[in-house]
Amino acid sequence: MSWQCTSWALREAPAPTATARLVLIALADRCQPDGRSAWPTVDTLMLEAHTSESSVKRALKALEETGCIRRGNQKLAQWDEHGNYVPDPYRSVVWECCMNVTLEHVSEKPGRQARAERAERAERDGDGNAEQAGKADRFRGVKMTPLENGGNKPKSRGVKMTPLNPEREARGVTGDLQGCHQ
C-alpha cells in the first residue's frame, strides 16, 4: 500500500477518463512507494472501481497507452499469497505506475553513515568540527548527568505529612455497619 502512489494517481496522473482514474487509484493503492509491483486481479479492480470487466480492461489499455502505467516484472506474480505456484495462464499482470520518481538509497547503517558524512563535511569546510565528529564516532555509550542529591534520597518538595493518630478513627470511616444495606 503506497500513499505516495495513490496521491499521485488522485491528483497528478494524466488519466484519460474517470473510470481510468478509478482503476488507476485501485492499482496505485497496491504499489510500492516508487510505483512498482502491483498485480491485482481484474476482478479486484472491478470491485474497487465499481465497474464492469470490459471497462477495467479498456481503462488499463488506455492508461498503458497514455504512459500512466507499464508492465512490470511478471515473475513477481508467479506465486500467490500462500506461496503456491501460479501457472502462466492464471497469473495477474504486474503493473508499474509511471510516477517518474526514484527513491533515494537507504544505507544499511544510517547512523554510522551520517556521522561519517558530518566528519567529511567538517573537514572539507575546515570549521574545526572534524575533531568533535571523530569523538562522536568513538563514543558509543550513553552520557548521563548525576542527580543533584546523589540519587540516594527523594528530593524534598516542601510538603510535610503527619502520620495518622492510631487512637483517633480515620476520617469518614466508622466501625459499625448498621447503616449499610446488605
Side-chain angles (χ1 to χ4, degrees):
M1 191 179 289
S2 163
W3 66 265
Q4 298 94 334
C5 196
T6 305
S7 177
W8 167 80
L10 248 168
R11 294 175 178 85
E12 301 172 30
T17 64
T19 301
R21 185 165 307 277
L22 284 172
V23 170
L24 181 62
I25 291 167
L27 191 64
D29 193 39
R30 287 167 172 70
C31 286
Q32 300 297 319
D34 61 353
R36 294 182 301 155
S37 309
W39 58 93
T41 63
V42 171
D43 289 341
T44 300
L45 294 173
M46 285 170 43
L47 289 171
E48 292 197 2
H50 300 280
T51 190
S52 67
E53 181 179 356
S54 59
S55 293
V56 168
K57 289 180 178 180
R58 264 194 312 274
L60 288 171
K61 184 178 179 185
L63 289 167
E64 193 173 15
E65 287 172 356
T66 59
C68 285
I69 60 174
R70 66 174 172 249
R71 293 173 188 263
N73 181 1
Q74 299 305 312
K75 289 191 177 194
L76 294 173
Q78 69 184 353
W79 305 99
D80 68 5
E81 64 272 7
H82 304 292
N84 300 320
Y85 180 77
V86 179
D88 282 337
Y90 303 104
R91 290 183 194 164
S92 298
V93 176
V94 178
W95 296 102
E96 294 181 355
C97 292
C98 302
M99 300 188 319
N100 298 324
V101 260
T102 55
L103 294 178
E104 62 184 71
H105 175 69
V106 178
S107 171
E108 289 180 22
K109 297 183 180 179
R112 188 173 293 169
Q113 180 185 7
R115 284 191 298 274
E117 287 175 3
R118 280 195 301 272
E120 182 181 314
R121 225 180 359 253
E123 284 179 21
R124 201 174 42 237
D125 297 342
D127 61 359
N129 288 336
E131 187 177 321
Q132 290 175 357
K135 285 181 184 176
D137 277 342
R138 289 189 302 270
F139 181 73
R140 296 200 187 272
V142 176
K143 185 176 182 180
M144 297 178 72
T145 56
L147 294 172
E148 291 176 13
N149 62 0
N152 302 6
K153 303 177 230 169
K155 204 173 184 181
S156 172
R157 302 234 189 272
V159 176
K160 271 192 163 181
M161 297 186 71
T162 56
L164 287 175
N165 188 348
E167 295 163 6
R168 289 181 58 197
E169 286 185 49
R171 211 184 252 175
V173 178
T174 61
D176 67 345
L177 298 173
Q178 290 176 357
C180 294
H181 299 284
Q182 292 178 352

